[in-house]
Amino acid sequence: MLAAYFDQPGGPENLYVKEVPKPHPGKGEVLMKVSASALNRADLLQRRGKYPSPKGASDILGLEAAGLVAGFGPGCKGQWKTGDTVMALLSGGGQAEYVTVPEGHLMLIPNDMTFVQAAAIPEAWLTAFQLLHFVGKVQSGQTVLIHAGASGVGTAAVQLTRLAKAIPIVTAGTQEKLQLAAKLGAAAGFNYKEEDFRERALEFTNGSGVDIILDCIGGSYWEKNLNCLSTDGQWIVYGLLGGGEVHGDLLARLLSKRGSLVTSLLRSREKEYKEKLVKAFTERVLPYFSQDRSPHVQPIIDSVYPLHRIVEAHRTMEENKNLGKVIIEMPPSS
């Protein structure tokens, strides 16, 4: 089968399409014929040699995919059949023509959704759902500050916050990105390049601060985050785009607000945790992707690249040009 590959860590130019052996499903696994996958920041980090795949996972990039059930390993429980249209949360391997998936990490694609749309859902939406509900335990009426509000996770988090009857506010680096977030339900948006989001968030909350911060930036935002966090608020870090170093009295400031600093990753979670997450998401959110549901939620797609243009796809995300997800389409047949 064909797969996105790199021999040496480095820039996008190191990527190429390579013929590799088709994987065989193990116990309780399903073989999936991939139609489309999506890029995530983790793919860029892995390509640079900074985020190796977890033990036992495929070294091929790709944390989510959509396609058809094509085979089964021993011990599957019979919940899927050959030809089912599915999307999957993966620990790796999605940017290839075939991938193996634990059967409990699959979700049925809604009837009116394409493979390209479905590929934009698993990693981004399950990450956002996990952060809000499993970690943050968001409550109706709370204010949630979402950094990178026009990213894949950001656009999902805005819509999921609204679905939870809470209030999303976002940061982003362009007016276009802020407009997209507003269209999806953000009650306010702040351009971090032009204004102080700490001051604006405090203004928005009448000085009380935000209840939850979903933070993929990390070190460079620590002081502003603490300044606009409410008493007893939760600061949830799930990425370090702004570095991991903190210079200053973080703990004293956090303690003075009785704040919680929580970190979360999804890729390295155990299989059983991911199964629970997929089940909860399938029951509580997936129905809202159907066109006839109100409120309606939708994956936001920036661009679609065929597999042989994988280098361009990585460059688009690396340069922060995308609004929403960057999709990789597999060749039509194999």
Side-chain angles (χ1 to χ4, degrees), residues 14-170:
N14 286 17
L15 290 161
Y16 65 101
V17 176
K18 182 180 181 179
E19 186 89 35
V20 299
K22 188 160 83 171
H24 296 285
K27 187 177 180 183
E29 289 185 335
V30 169
L31 179 68
M32 177 178 170
K33 186 182 188 312
V34 177
S35 246
S37 181
L39 279 191
N40 289 278
R41 290 280 167 190
D43 296 315
L44 275 59
L45 290 170
Q46 184 175 332
R47 189 203 69 228
R48 291 190 214 126
K50 295 181 178 177
Y51 192 19
S53 52
K55 188 178 178 184
S58 170
D59 288 332
I60 296 167
L61 301 174
L63 301 183
E64 56 196 336
L68 300 170
V69 172
F72 303 92
C76 285
K77 296 173 185 170
Q79 65 191 102
W80 305 106
K81 63 184 186 297
T82 302
D84 278 347
T85 56
V86 291
M87 50 189 171
L89 177 68
L90 307 169
S91 296
Q95 286 160 36
E97 292 183 296
Y98 288 89
V99 67
T100 56
V101 194
E103 59 181 341
H105 298 181
L106 290 170
M107 298 173 278
L108 201 60
I109 297 175
N111 286 334
D112 46 9
M113 187 173 281
T114 67
F115 287 126
V116 164
Q117 290 170 319
I121 292 174
E123 174 69 17
W125 282 78
L126 284 164
T127 294
F129 181 77
Q130 176 201 216
L131 296 173
L132 286 166
H133 292 282
F134 279 40
V135 181
K137 297 183 169 49
V138 64
Q139 301 296 311
S140 173
Q142 287 188 320
T143 302
V144 182
L145 172 60
I146 301 160
H147 291 312
S151 66
V153 173
T155 54
V158 168
Q159 295 176 77
L160 288 171
T161 300
R162 279 291 180 199
L163 206 56
K165 297 183 169 54
I167 303 157
I169 62 176
V170 304

Side-chain angles (χ1 to χ4, degrees), residues 125 146 148-159 162 168-190 298-303 320-326:
W125 282 78
I146 301 160
S151 66
V153 173
T155 54
V158 168
Q159 295 176 77
R162 279 291 180 199
I169 62 176
V170 304
T171 65
T174 70
Q175 207 53 40
E176 193 182 10
K177 290 180 176 182
L178 292 174
Q179 285 166 358
L180 171 62
K183 188 178 168 188
L184 295 173
F190 318 126
Q298 59 181 322
I300 303 302
I301 292 164
D302 174 82
S303 47
N320 287 325
K321 290 178 178 175
N322 55 304
L323 279 77
K325 298 288 282 187
V326 177

Side-chain angles (χ1 to χ4, degrees), residues 199-212:
E199 291 177 5
R200 297 295 307 280
L202 285 170
E203 283 170 22
F204 181 85
T205 57
N206 296 316
S208 63
V210 299
D211 301 293
I212 298 174

Side-chain angles (χ1 to χ4, degrees), residues 301-328:
I301 292 164
D302 174 82
S303 47
V304 182
Y305 292 89
L307 180 61
H308 69 265
R309 290 173 60 196
I310 186 77
V311 171
E312 291 172 67
H314 272 242
R315 284 207 175 108
T316 295
M317 180 174 270
E318 194 124 283
E319 293 165 11
N320 287 325
K321 290 178 178 175
N322 55 304
L323 279 77
K325 298 288 282 187
V326 177
I327 307 295
I328 310 296

